[in-house]
Amino acid sequence: GDSTGWDPHQEGDNNCEDDMIEGEMFKQLGVKEEDKESDEEALIAAAQRAASQLTMAQCGVRRWSAAPSWALSRQQHKELETLRDQLTNWSSTISTELERCCRLRGIPEALRNMEKGLRPWSELSSEEQSADPFAGCLVGPFEHDDGYKTACYHFEIETQRTLFEDAAKQCPGALVLSLQAVSALLKDLEESARTLLELRIMSDLRITMQRR
């Protein structure tokens, strides 16, 4: 980096400033007893929101993963693999945080209901498939090039049908779950996981301060 203007003799002063900032943070942590309950409620809400977002993201990634491999373009394969990696990462983070918050009301239940690994669509029971939040949604769009022209189509997971441009007639009222929509679910999941992590750290710091 650029060391212009850096004075090694001022390093001690920077340490003092860091100590002041840390001291101020701990001072803020010395909250009143009535604030403790609201902080705990915020942590519970963040944990439940993260668990809920995780379920949605898992369902979105699972549905796209159920599309036939030949339907996806090289770019779609790459994007889906990235989303799977993100899901694995944030799923691990949320699972760890829920375990750390298991003393709080409702969290043990959320932990029990959490799907630890991503089961493929074919392994879900008919009841689980029907209860899926994206049940009936088509995935796509995909492109088929026959050498003369490129046709756009969607895929229906439940019936394993390929639906070309007249999909609206074949499945009236059906919604489409695009890969961009799944990507947005993962962004929401990341935001929820980060919020949960930050609130849990602050909660732990407060507990540490109260024990002093």
Side-chain angles (χ1 to χ4, degrees), residues 81-147:
E81 194 57 41
T82 297
L83 294 176
R84 284 198 194 104
D85 289 342
Q86 291 175 359
L87 180 61
T88 299
N89 177 45
W90 293 117
S91 175
S92 176
T93 298
I94 291 171
S95 178
T96 300
E97 290 307 310
L98 289 181
E99 286 170 2
R100 286 171 173 164
C101 297
C102 64
R103 72 184 191 281
L104 300 176
R105 172 176 45 81
I107 303 307
E109 184 182 0
L111 199 52
R112 282 194 303 272
N113 293 336
M114 200 177 110
E115 188 176 338
K116 297 296 188 287
L118 188 66
R119 288 181 297 154
W121 176 261
S122 59
E123 288 186 10
L124 299 186
S125 67
S126 56
E127 290 79 10
E128 288 173 319
Q129 290 182 357
S130 298
D132 188 278
F134 302 112
C137 287
L138 307 177
V139 292
F142 303 109
E143 289 184 350
H144 173 68
D145 189 348
D146 62 5

Side-chain angles (χ1 to χ4, degrees), residues 5 9 49 51 57 60-61 84 102-103 118 148 203 210 212:
H9 299 296
R49 184 165 55 249
V61 171
R84 284 198 194 104
C102 64
R103 72 184 191 281
L118 188 66
Y148 297 98
S203 175
Q210 287 160 5
R212 288 188 176 184

Side-chain angles (χ1 to χ4, degrees), residues 152-180:
C152 174
Y153 67 95
H154 293 82
F155 194 79
E156 187 177 34
I157 301 299
E158 280 81 0
T159 61
Q160 296 290 292
R161 282 194 302 167
T162 300
L163 306 171
F164 280 85
E165 277 133 346
D166 60 349
K169 293 179 183 176
Q170 296 182 53
C171 295
L175 299 175
V176 174
L177 179 67
S178 67
L179 200 53
Q180 289 77 13

